[in-house]
């Protein structure tokens, strides 16, 4: 996943997955078809917030994945049983590749993405972690991992992953976008969210979802003003 996935707003939205775009060019036609099929089944518009390379609109992500204010963490929809077979089919050749070469970074990331899109977040985390042992400075993969942690209900590890990502790439837009959502919805810290989003816009003045981010900042300010 080089394309960050969705988070509360996160790679498509709510936290979006970022790294998904990393290896797009190396899928076979069959793999791509299978992946597209289960993405449709899952309504995979949920990658924006947490995917580093997310290109989907932030507002779409928030609508599909953001947790109700005060709930503490986003709860993703239950995976479609019909999608699980497709996930297994898409993962099979990648698992074979990493069994042959445990240091195959691209295949590890793709596996993380497949499981992320299939809403099998613990498995996604497992392969993202293995990929980060090889390239710990990859902000897309680390943000995707943080987003996956968010979806498992672990806001602390989500924050830790995103804060580490920023140490490697201080102005990384998807990390900052998702960090704002996790701070706000996971930690009930609207001021921290505002800080992350203002940093995002300062470092990336041409950010495609600038207007939406400004709207989120305004809403977070309203929340902060209410104490």
């Amino acid at each position: 996943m080089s394309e960050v996935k969705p988070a509360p707003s996160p790679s498509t939205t709510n936290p979006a997955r970022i790294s998904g775009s990393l290896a797009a060019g190396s899928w076979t036609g069959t793999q791509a078809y299978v992946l597209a099929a289960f993405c449709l089944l899952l309504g995979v518009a949920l990658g924006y917030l947490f995917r580093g390379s997310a290109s989907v609109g932030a507002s779409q992500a928030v609508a599909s994945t953001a947790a109700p204010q005060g709930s503490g963490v986003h709860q993703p929809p239950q995976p479609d049983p019909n999608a699980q077979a497709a996930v297994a089919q898409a993962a099979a050749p990648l698992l074979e590749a990493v069994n042959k070469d445990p240091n195959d970074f691209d295949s590890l990331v793709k596996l993380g993405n497949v499981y992320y899109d299939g809403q099998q977040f613990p498995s996604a985390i497992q392969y993202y972690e293995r990929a980060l042992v090889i390239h710990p400075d990859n902000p897309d993969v680390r943000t995707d991992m943080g987003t996956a942690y968010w979806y498992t209900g672990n806001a602390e590890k989500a924050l830790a992953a995103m804060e580490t990502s920023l140490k490697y790439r201080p102005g990384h837009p998807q990390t900052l976008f998702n960090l704002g959502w996790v701070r706000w919805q996971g930690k009930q810290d609207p001021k921290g969210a505002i800080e992350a989003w203002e940093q995002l816009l300062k470092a990336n003045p041409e950010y495609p979802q600038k207007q939406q981010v400004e709207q989120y900042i305004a809403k977070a300010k309203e929340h902060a003003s209410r104490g």
Side-chain angles (χ1 to χ4, degrees):
M1 294 184 181
S2 40
E3 100 197 37
V4 178
K5 297 192 172 180
S9 142
S11 153
T12 318
T13 266
N14 255 29
R17 174 171 64 83
I18 296 174
S19 63
S21 64
L22 183 80
S26 55
W27 291 97
T28 65
T30 300
Q31 291 168 347
Y33 177 82
V34 170
L35 185 59
F38 82 72
C39 284
L40 286 173
L41 286 171
L42 294 172
V44 166
L46 50 84
Y48 187 78
L49 182 61
F50 288 161
R51 263 201 232 171
S53 62
S55 59
V56 177
S59 58
Q60 181 182 0
V62 175
S64 63
T65 53
Q69 193 166 316
S71 66
V73 68
H74 166 68
Q75 297 297 325
Q78 293 299 309
D80 185 322
N82 294 325
Q84 302 312 300
V87 172
Q89 184 175 349
L94 298 170
L95 289 168
E96 182 178 355
V98 299
N99 285 335
K100 290 180 179 178
D101 179 5
N103 294 318
D104 183 343
F105 176 78
D106 285 355
S107 292
L108 288 168
V109 174
K110 290 176 190 176
L111 270 170
N113 293 344
V114 165
Y115 287 121
Y116 183 109
D117 290 339
Q119 300 178 11
Q120 297 180 26
F121 299 111
S123 294
I125 290 167
Q126 173 188 345
Y127 289 104
Y128 288 147
E129 286 179 338
R130 288 179 59 179
L132 288 167
V133 170
I134 301 168
H135 291 299
D137 59 344
N138 189 304
D140 288 348
V141 175
R142 197 171 290 278
T143 300
D144 288 352
M145 184 179 71
T147 303
Y149 270 121
W150 164 263
Y151 281 125
T152 65
N154 196 327
E156 293 294 339
K157 285 194 173 182
L159 286 173
M162 292 174 195
E163 288 168 354
T164 300
S165 174
L166 292 174
K167 291 179 181 178
Y168 289 109
R169 190 83 63 82
H172 192 249
Q174 199 57 42
T175 303
L176 288 166
F177 184 89
N178 291 1
L179 177 62
W181 272 102
V182 175
R183 283 178 174 174
W184 189 11
Q185 299 295 329
K187 302 300 292 183
Q188 290 299 291
D189 179 13
K191 293 181 179 179
I194 293 166
E195 178 184 351
W197 288 333
E198 287 182 340
Q199 184 180 348
L200 162 61
L201 296 182
K202 181 178 180 180
N204 305 274
E206 302 303 320
Y207 188 64
Q209 285 78 41
K210 179 178 180 179
Q211 184 175 358
Q212 288 94 331
V213 174
E214 290 173 339
Q215 292 172 355
Y216 301 151
I217 289 173
K219 292 182 181 299
K221 287 181 176 179
E222 290 178 7
H223 182 185
S225 69
R226 295 194 299 269

Short mmCIF file of all heavy atoms in Angstrom, two decimals, residues 129-187:
data_model
loop_
_atom_site.label_atom_id
_atom_site.label_comp_id
_atom_site.label_asym_id
_atom_site.label_seq_id
_atom_site.Cartn_x
_atom_site.Cartn_y
_atom_site.Cartn_z
N GLU A 129 4.22 -4.47 9.70
CA GLU A 129 5.34 -4.48 10.65
C GLU A 129 6.57 -5.15 10.05
O GLU A 129 7.70 -4.67 10.22
CB GLU A 129 4.92 -5.20 11.94
CG GLU A 129 3.99 -4.38 12.81
CD GLU A 129 3.57 -5.11 14.08
OE1 GLU A 129 3.64 -6.37 14.10
OE2 GLU A 129 3.19 -4.43 15.05
N ARG A 130 6.35 -6.25 9.34
CA ARG A 130 7.48 -6.93 8.71
C ARG A 130 8.11 -6.06 7.62
O ARG A 130 9.34 -6.02 7.47
CB ARG A 130 7.00 -8.27 8.12
CG ARG A 130 6.71 -9.32 9.17
CD ARG A 130 6.21 -10.62 8.56
NE ARG A 130 7.20 -11.20 7.63
CZ ARG A 130 7.01 -12.35 6.98
NH1 ARG A 130 5.86 -13.04 7.18
NH2 ARG A 130 7.92 -12.81 6.17
N ALA A 131 7.28 -5.34 6.89
CA ALA A 131 7.81 -4.44 5.85
C ALA A 131 8.63 -3.32 6.48
O ALA A 131 9.67 -2.91 5.95
CB ALA A 131 6.67 -3.87 5.02
N LEU A 132 8.18 -2.82 7.63
CA LEU A 132 8.87 -1.70 8.27
C LEU A 132 10.19 -2.11 8.91
O LEU A 132 11.05 -1.25 9.14
CB LEU A 132 7.94 -1.06 9.31
CG LEU A 132 6.79 -0.26 8.70
CD1 LEU A 132 5.75 0.07 9.76
CD2 LEU A 132 7.30 1.01 8.03
N VAL A 133 10.36 -3.38 9.18
CA VAL A 133 11.67 -3.85 9.63
C VAL A 133 12.70 -3.63 8.52
O VAL A 133 13.86 -3.30 8.77
CB VAL A 133 11.61 -5.34 10.03
CG1 VAL A 133 13.01 -5.90 10.25
CG2 VAL A 133 10.77 -5.50 11.29
N ILE A 134 12.25 -3.76 7.28
CA ILE A 134 13.13 -3.62 6.13
C ILE A 134 13.33 -2.14 5.78
O ILE A 134 14.45 -1.69 5.54
CB ILE A 134 12.55 -4.38 4.92
CG1 ILE A 134 12.39 -5.86 5.27
CG2 ILE A 134 13.44 -4.22 3.68
CD1 ILE A 134 11.56 -6.65 4.26
N HIS A 135 12.23 -1.39 5.74
CA HIS A 135 12.30 0.05 5.43
C HIS A 135 11.53 0.82 6.51
O HIS A 135 10.39 1.23 6.29
CB HIS A 135 11.72 0.33 4.04
CG HIS A 135 12.54 -0.19 2.91
ND1 HIS A 135 13.83 0.23 2.68
CD2 HIS A 135 12.26 -1.11 1.95
CE1 HIS A 135 14.31 -0.42 1.63
NE2 HIS A 135 13.38 -1.23 1.17
N PRO A 136 12.15 1.05 7.65
CA PRO A 136 11.44 1.71 8.76
C PRO A 136 11.08 3.16 8.49
O PRO A 136 10.24 3.73 9.18
CB PRO A 136 12.45 1.62 9.91
CG PRO A 136 13.78 1.48 9.25
CD PRO A 136 13.52 0.67 8.01
N ASP A 137 11.68 3.74 7.46
CA ASP A 137 11.46 5.16 7.17
C ASP A 137 10.34 5.40 6.16
O ASP A 137 10.15 6.53 5.70
CB ASP A 137 12.74 5.81 6.65
CG ASP A 137 13.27 5.14 5.38
OD1 ASP A 137 12.82 4.00 5.08
OD2 ASP A 137 14.13 5.73 4.71
N ASN A 138 9.57 4.37 5.84
CA ASN A 138 8.50 4.52 4.85
C ASN A 138 7.25 5.09 5.54
O ASN A 138 6.56 4.36 6.27
CB ASN A 138 8.17 3.18 4.20
CG ASN A 138 7.22 3.33 3.03
OD1 ASN A 138 6.13 3.87 3.17
ND2 ASN A 138 7.61 2.84 1.86
N PRO A 139 6.92 6.37 5.32
CA PRO A 139 5.79 6.97 6.04
C PRO A 139 4.43 6.45 5.60
O PRO A 139 3.48 6.43 6.39
CB PRO A 139 5.94 8.47 5.74
CG PRO A 139 6.61 8.50 4.40
CD PRO A 139 7.55 7.33 4.40
N ASP A 140 4.32 6.03 4.34
CA ASP A 140 3.04 5.52 3.86
C ASP A 140 2.68 4.23 4.57
O ASP A 140 1.56 4.06 5.08
CB ASP A 140 3.10 5.27 2.35
CG ASP A 140 3.13 6.55 1.55
OD1 ASP A 140 2.87 7.63 2.12
OD2 ASP A 140 3.42 6.48 0.34
N VAL A 141 3.63 3.31 4.60
CA VAL A 141 3.36 2.02 5.24
C VAL A 141 3.11 2.20 6.74
O VAL A 141 2.21 1.59 7.32
CB VAL A 141 4.53 1.04 5.00
CG1 VAL A 141 4.30 -0.26 5.76
CG2 VAL A 141 4.68 0.75 3.51
N ARG A 142 3.90 3.07 7.36
CA ARG A 142 3.73 3.26 8.81
C ARG A 142 2.38 3.90 9.12
O ARG A 142 1.73 3.58 10.12
CB ARG A 142 4.88 4.10 9.37
CG ARG A 142 4.99 3.99 10.89
CD ARG A 142 6.26 4.65 11.40
NE ARG A 142 7.44 3.92 11.03
CZ ARG A 142 7.93 2.86 11.67
NH1 ARG A 142 7.25 2.36 12.72
NH2 ARG A 142 9.04 2.27 11.28
N THR A 143 1.95 4.81 8.27
CA THR A 143 0.64 5.43 8.48
C THR A 143 -0.48 4.42 8.25
O THR A 143 -1.49 4.40 8.97
CB THR A 143 0.46 6.65 7.57
OG1 THR A 143 1.48 7.61 7.89
CG2 THR A 143 -0.90 7.30 7.79
N ASP A 144 -0.33 3.58 7.24
CA ASP A 144 -1.32 2.53 7.00
C ASP A 144 -1.40 1.59 8.20
O ASP A 144 -2.49 1.17 8.61
CB ASP A 144 -0.96 1.72 5.76
CG ASP A 144 -1.17 2.50 4.47
OD1 ASP A 144 -1.73 3.60 4.53
OD2 ASP A 144 -0.78 1.99 3.41
N MET A 145 -0.24 1.28 8.77
CA MET A 145 -0.24 0.41 9.95
C MET A 145 -0.95 1.10 11.11
O MET A 145 -1.74 0.48 11.84
CB MET A 145 1.20 0.06 10.36
CG MET A 145 1.27 -0.91 11.53
SD MET A 145 2.97 -1.34 12.00
CE MET A 145 3.51 0.21 12.74
N GLY A 146 -0.68 2.38 11.28
CA GLY A 146 -1.36 3.13 12.33
C GLY A 146 -2.86 3.15 12.13
O GLY A 146 -3.65 3.01 13.08
N THR A 147 -3.28 3.29 10.90
CA THR A 147 -4.71 3.30 10.60
C THR A 147 -5.33 1.94 10.90
O THR A 147 -6.45 1.85 11.41
CB THR A 147 -4.93 3.67 9.13
OG1 THR A 147 -4.32 4.91 8.87
CG2 THR A 147 -6.41 3.74 8.82
N ALA A 148 -4.59 0.88 10.57
CA ALA A 148 -5.08 -0.46 10.88
C ALA A 148 -5.22 -0.64 12.39
O ALA A 148 -6.19 -1.24 12.87
CB ALA A 148 -4.14 -1.51 10.30
N TYR A 149 -4.27 -0.11 13.14
CA TYR A 149 -4.38 -0.17 14.60
C TYR A 149 -5.63 0.57 15.07
O TYR A 149 -6.32 0.14 16.00
CB TYR A 149 -3.15 0.44 15.26
CG TYR A 149 -2.03 -0.54 15.52
CD1 TYR A 149 -0.76 -0.34 14.96
CD2 TYR A 149 -2.23 -1.65 16.33
CE1 TYR A 149 0.28 -1.24 15.22
CE2 TYR A 149 -1.20 -2.55 16.59
CZ TYR A 149 0.04 -2.33 16.03
OH TYR A 149 1.06 -3.23 16.28
N TRP A 150 -5.92 1.71 14.43
CA TRP A 150 -7.12 2.47 14.78
C TRP A 150 -8.36 1.61 14.63
O TRP A 150 -9.25 1.59 15.47
CB TRP A 150 -7.19 3.70 13.89
CG TRP A 150 -8.53 4.39 13.86
CD1 TRP A 150 -9.50 4.23 12.91
CD2 TRP A 150 -9.03 5.34 14.79
NE1 TRP A 150 -10.57 5.03 13.20
CE2 TRP A 150 -10.31 5.72 14.35
CE3 TRP A 150 -8.52 5.91 15.96
CZ2 TRP A 150 -11.11 6.64 15.02
CZ3 TRP A 150 -9.31 6.84 16.64
CH2 TRP A 150 -10.59 7.19 16.17
N TYR A 151 -8.41 0.87 13.52
CA TYR A 151 -9.58 0.05 13.25
C TYR A 151 -9.71 -1.14 14.19
O TYR A 151 -10.78 -1.72 14.33
CB TYR A 151 -9.58 -0.42 11.80
CG TYR A 151 -10.05 0.63 10.83
CD1 TYR A 151 -9.26 1.01 9.76
CD2 TYR A 151 -11.29 1.25 10.99
CE1 TYR A 151 -9.69 1.99 8.87
CE2 TYR A 151 -11.72 2.22 10.10
CZ TYR A 151 -10.91 2.58 9.05
OH TYR A 151 -11.35 3.54 8.17
N THR A 152 -8.60 -1.52 14.83
CA THR A 152 -8.68 -2.60 15.82
C THR A 152 -9.05 -2.05 17.19
O THR A 152 -9.19 -2.82 18.15
CB THR A 152 -7.35 -3.38 15.94
OG1 THR A 152 -6.33 -2.50 16.45
CG2 THR A 152 -6.92 -3.95 14.59
N GLY A 153 -9.17 -0.74 17.31
CA GLY A 153 -9.55 -0.13 18.58
C GLY A 153 -8.38 0.33 19.42
O GLY A 153 -8.56 0.72 20.57
N ASN A 154 -7.17 0.32 18.84
CA ASN A 154 -5.99 0.70 19.61
C ASN A 154 -5.52 2.09 19.19
O ASN A 154 -4.62 2.24 18.36
CB ASN A 154 -4.87 -0.33 19.41
CG ASN A 154 -3.79 -0.20 20.46
OD1 ASN A 154 -3.48 0.89 20.93
ND2 ASN A 154 -3.19 -1.33 20.83
N ALA A 155 -6.12 3.11 19.78
CA ALA A 155 -5.77 4.49 19.43
C ALA A 155 -4.35 4.82 19.83
O ALA A 155 -3.67 5.61 19.16
CB ALA A 155 -6.75 5.46 20.09
N GLU A 156 -3.86 4.24 20.93
CA GLU A 156 -2.51 4.55 21.40
C GLU A 156 -1.46 4.12 20.38
O GLU A 156 -0.54 4.87 20.06
CB GLU A 156 -2.24 3.85 22.75
CG GLU A 156 -3.07 4.39 23.89
CD GLU A 156 -2.73 5.83 24.25
OE1 GLU A 156 -1.63 6.28 23.90
OE2 GLU A 156 -3.57 6.50 24.88
N LYS A 157 -1.59 2.89 19.88
CA LYS A 157 -0.63 2.42 18.89
C LYS A 157 -0.79 3.15 17.56
O LYS A 157 0.18 3.35 16.83
CB LYS A 157 -0.74 0.90 18.71
CG LYS A 157 -0.13 0.13 19.88
CD LYS A 157 0.06 -1.34 19.53
CE LYS A 157 0.83 -2.05 20.64
NZ LYS A 157 1.08 -3.49 20.31
N ALA A 158 -2.02 3.54 17.26
CA ALA A 158 -2.24 4.33 16.04
C ALA A 158 -1.49 5.64 16.14
O ALA A 158 -0.79 6.05 15.19
CB ALA A 158 -3.73 4.58 15.84
N LEU A 159 -1.61 6.32 17.26
CA LEU A 159 -0.91 7.58 17.46
C LEU A 159 0.60 7.39 17.42
O LEU A 159 1.32 8.18 16.79
CB LEU A 159 -1.30 8.19 18.81
CG LEU A 159 -2.68 8.81 18.91
CD1 LEU A 159 -2.98 9.20 20.36
CD2 LEU A 159 -2.80 10.03 18.01
N ALA A 160 1.09 6.35 18.08
CA ALA A 160 2.52 6.11 18.11
C ALA A 160 3.08 5.90 16.71
O ALA A 160 4.15 6.42 16.36
CB ALA A 160 2.83 4.90 18.99
N ALA A 161 2.35 5.13 15.89
CA ALA A 161 2.82 4.87 14.53
C ALA A 161 2.87 6.15 13.71
O ALA A 161 3.83 6.41 12.97
CB ALA A 161 1.90 3.85 13.85
N MET A 162 1.85 6.99 13.85
CA MET A 162 1.81 8.22 13.06
C MET A 162 2.84 9.24 13.54
O MET A 162 3.45 9.95 12.73
CB MET A 162 0.39 8.78 13.08
CG MET A 162 -0.58 7.89 12.34
SD MET A 162 -2.30 8.41 12.47
CE MET A 162 -3.11 6.91 11.89
N GLU A 163 3.04 9.29 14.84
CA GLU A 163 4.05 10.21 15.35
C GLU A 163 5.45 9.77 14.92
O GLU A 163 6.31 10.61 14.61
CB GLU A 163 3.94 10.30 16.87
CG GLU A 163 2.70 11.08 17.29
CD GLU A 163 2.37 10.96 18.77
OE1 GLU A 163 3.06 10.16 19.47
OE2 GLU A 163 1.43 11.64 19.24
N THR A 164 5.69 8.46 14.86
CA THR A 164 6.97 7.96 14.36
C THR A 164 7.12 8.28 12.88
O THR A 164 8.21 8.66 12.41
CB THR A 164 7.09 6.44 14.58
OG1 THR A 164 7.00 6.16 15.98
CG2 THR A 164 8.40 5.90 14.04
N SER A 165 6.04 8.15 12.13
CA SER A 165 6.07 8.49 10.70
C SER A 165 6.52 9.92 10.50
O SER A 165 7.33 10.22 9.60
CB SER A 165 4.68 8.28 10.08
OG SER A 165 4.65 8.73 8.75
N LEU A 166 6.04 10.82 11.34
CA LEU A 166 6.39 12.24 11.20
C LEU A 166 7.84 12.52 11.55
O LEU A 166 8.41 13.52 11.10
CB LEU A 166 5.46 13.09 12.05
CG LEU A 166 4.00 13.13 11.58
CD1 LEU A 166 3.14 13.89 12.58
CD2 LEU A 166 3.89 13.77 10.19
N LYS A 167 8.44 11.66 12.34
CA LYS A 167 9.87 11.83 12.64
C LYS A 167 10.70 11.59 11.38
O LYS A 167 11.73 12.22 11.18
CB LYS A 167 10.29 10.88 13.75
CG LYS A 167 9.70 11.24 15.11
CD LYS A 167 10.13 10.24 16.19
CE LYS A 167 9.51 10.60 17.53
NZ LYS A 167 9.89 9.61 18.60
N TYR A 168 10.22 10.68 10.54
CA TYR A 168 10.91 10.40 9.29
C TYR A 168 10.54 11.41 8.21
O TYR A 168 11.38 11.78 7.37
CB TYR A 168 10.58 8.98 8.80
CG TYR A 168 11.20 7.88 9.61
CD1 TYR A 168 10.42 7.07 10.44
CD2 TYR A 168 12.57 7.63 9.56
CE1 TYR A 168 10.99 6.04 11.19
CE2 TYR A 168 13.15 6.61 10.30
CZ TYR A 168 12.36 5.82 11.12
OH TYR A 168 12.93 4.80 11.86
N ARG A 169 9.28 11.83 8.19
CA ARG A 169 8.80 12.76 7.16
C ARG A 169 7.88 13.78 7.83
O ARG A 169 6.66 13.61 7.85
CB ARG A 169 8.04 11.98 6.09
CG ARG A 169 7.70 12.77 4.85
CD ARG A 169 8.84 12.81 3.88
NE ARG A 169 9.18 11.48 3.40
CZ ARG A 169 8.54 10.85 2.41
NH1 ARG A 169 7.50 11.42 1.82
NH2 ARG A 169 8.94 9.66 2.02
N PRO A 170 8.44 14.85 8.39
CA PRO A 170 7.68 15.80 9.22
C PRO A 170 6.41 16.37 8.59
O PRO A 170 5.42 16.57 9.28
CB PRO A 170 8.70 16.90 9.52
CG PRO A 170 10.02 16.19 9.47
CD PRO A 170 9.88 15.19 8.36
N GLY A 171 6.42 16.64 7.30
CA GLY A 171 5.24 17.25 6.69
C GLY A 171 4.37 16.29 5.91
O GLY A 171 3.51 16.73 5.13
N HIS A 172 4.53 14.99 6.15
CA HIS A 172 3.81 14.00 5.35
C HIS A 172 2.30 14.22 5.48
O HIS A 172 1.73 14.09 6.57
CB HIS A 172 4.17 12.59 5.81
CG HIS A 172 3.71 11.52 4.89
ND1 HIS A 172 2.72 10.63 5.23
CD2 HIS A 172 4.10 11.19 3.64
CE1 HIS A 172 2.52 9.79 4.22
NE2 HIS A 172 3.34 10.10 3.25
N PRO A 173 1.62 14.56 4.38
CA PRO A 173 0.22 14.99 4.48
C PRO A 173 -0.74 13.94 5.00
O PRO A 173 -1.59 14.24 5.84
CB PRO A 173 -0.12 15.41 3.04
CG PRO A 173 0.88 14.70 2.18
CD PRO A 173 2.13 14.64 3.00
N GLN A 174 -0.63 12.69 4.52
CA GLN A 174 -1.61 11.70 4.97
C GLN A 174 -1.44 11.36 6.43
O GLN A 174 -2.41 11.09 7.13
CB GLN A 174 -1.51 10.44 4.11
CG GLN A 174 -2.75 9.58 4.19
CD GLN A 174 -3.98 10.34 3.79
OE1 GLN A 174 -3.95 11.10 2.82
NE2 GLN A 174 -5.07 10.17 4.53
N THR A 175 -0.19 11.36 6.88
CA THR A 175 0.04 11.09 8.29
C THR A 175 -0.61 12.17 9.14
O THR A 175 -1.30 11.88 10.13
CB THR A 175 1.55 11.04 8.59
OG1 THR A 175 2.17 10.05 7.77
CG2 THR A 175 1.79 10.68 10.05
N LEU A 176 -0.41 13.41 8.76
CA LEU A 176 -0.98 14.52 9.52
C LEU A 176 -2.50 14.51 9.47
O LEU A 176 -3.17 14.80 10.46
CB LEU A 176 -0.43 15.85 8.99
CG LEU A 176 1.04 16.12 9.33
CD1 LEU A 176 1.57 17.28 8.48
CD2 LEU A 176 1.20 16.44 10.81
N PHE A 177 -3.04 14.18 8.31
CA PHE A 177 -4.50 14.11 8.17
C PHE A 177 -5.08 13.08 9.14
O PHE A 177 -6.00 13.34 9.90
CB PHE A 177 -4.85 13.76 6.73
CG PHE A 177 -6.34 13.76 6.47
CD1 PHE A 177 -6.97 14.91 6.07
CD2 PHE A 177 -7.09 12.61 6.63
CE1 PHE A 177 -8.35 14.92 5.83
CE2 PHE A 177 -8.45 12.61 6.39
CZ PHE A 177 -9.08 13.77 6.00
N ASN A 178 -4.50 11.88 9.11
CA ASN A 178 -5.02 10.80 9.96
C ASN A 178 -4.74 11.06 11.43
O ASN A 178 -5.56 10.71 12.29
CB ASN A 178 -4.41 9.48 9.53
CG ASN A 178 -4.90 9.03 8.17
OD1 ASN A 178 -5.68 9.69 7.53
ND2 ASN A 178 -4.41 7.90 7.73
N LEU A 179 -3.59 11.65 11.69
CA LEU A 179 -3.24 11.95 13.08
C LEU A 179 -4.29 12.87 13.71
O LEU A 179 -4.69 12.68 14.87
CB LEU A 179 -1.86 12.61 13.13
CG LEU A 179 -1.37 13.06 14.51
CD1 LEU A 179 -1.24 11.87 15.46
CD2 LEU A 179 -0.03 13.79 14.38
N GLY A 180 -4.74 13.85 12.93
CA GLY A 180 -5.76 14.75 13.44
C GLY A 180 -7.02 14.00 13.85
O GLY A 180 -7.60 14.24 14.91
N TRP A 181 -7.44 13.05 13.01
CA TRP A 181 -8.66 12.31 13.32
C TRP A 181 -8.50 11.42 14.53
O TRP A 181 -9.39 11.29 15.37
CB TRP A 181 -9.09 11.48 12.11
CG TRP A 181 -9.96 12.27 11.20
CD1 TRP A 181 -9.61 12.87 10.03
CD2 TRP A 181 -11.33 12.60 11.41
NE1 TRP A 181 -10.68 13.55 9.51
CE2 TRP A 181 -11.74 13.40 10.32
CE3 TRP A 181 -12.25 12.29 12.41
CZ2 TRP A 181 -13.04 13.89 10.21
CZ3 TRP A 181 -13.54 12.79 12.30
CH2 TRP A 181 -13.93 13.58 11.20
N VAL A 182 -7.34 10.77 14.63
CA VAL A 182 -7.14 9.87 15.78
C VAL A 182 -7.07 10.68 17.07
O VAL A 182 -7.61 10.27 18.10
CB VAL A 182 -5.87 9.03 15.58
CG1 VAL A 182 -5.59 8.18 16.82
CG2 VAL A 182 -6.04 8.10 14.37
N ARG A 183 -6.42 11.82 17.02
CA ARG A 183 -6.38 12.67 18.22
C ARG A 183 -7.78 13.11 18.62
O ARG A 183 -8.13 13.08 19.80
CB ARG A 183 -5.50 13.89 17.96
CG ARG A 183 -4.00 13.62 18.01
CD ARG A 183 -3.21 14.87 17.70
NE ARG A 183 -1.78 14.68 17.87
CZ ARG A 183 -0.86 15.59 17.55
NH1 ARG A 183 -1.24 16.76 17.03
NH2 ARG A 183 0.42 15.35 17.75
N TRP A 184 -8.55 13.51 17.63
CA TRP A 184 -9.88 14.05 17.94
C TRP A 184 -10.84 12.95 18.39
O TRP A 184 -11.45 13.02 19.45
CB TRP A 184 -10.42 14.79 16.71
CG TRP A 184 -11.67 15.58 16.95
CD1 TRP A 184 -12.24 15.88 18.16
CD2 TRP A 184 -12.49 16.18 15.96
NE1 TRP A 184 -13.37 16.64 17.98
CE2 TRP A 184 -13.55 16.84 16.63
CE3 TRP A 184 -12.45 16.24 14.57
CZ2 TRP A 184 -14.55 17.54 15.96
CZ3 TRP A 184 -13.43 16.94 13.90
CH2 TRP A 184 -14.48 17.58 14.59
N GLN A 185 -10.98 11.91 17.55
CA GLN A 185 -11.97 10.88 17.82
C GLN A 185 -11.46 9.81 18.79
O GLN A 185 -12.25 9.23 19.53
CB GLN A 185 -12.41 10.21 16.52
CG GLN A 185 -13.07 11.18 15.54
CD GLN A 185 -14.38 11.74 16.06
OE1 GLN A 185 -15.07 11.08 16.81
NE2 GLN A 185 -14.70 12.96 15.68
N GLY A 186 -10.16 9.54 18.76
CA GLY A 186 -9.63 8.50 19.63
C GLY A 186 -9.24 8.99 21.01
O GLY A 186 -9.34 8.25 21.99
N LYS A 187 -8.78 10.23 21.08
CA LYS A 187 -8.29 10.77 22.35
C LYS A 187 -9.12 11.94 22.86
O LYS A 187 -8.79 12.52 23.89
CB LYS A 187 -6.83 11.20 22.19
CG LYS A 187 -5.89 10.08 21.73
CD LYS A 187 -5.85 8.92 22.70
CE LYS A 187 -5.19 9.30 24.01
NZ LYS A 187 -5.10 8.14 24.93
#
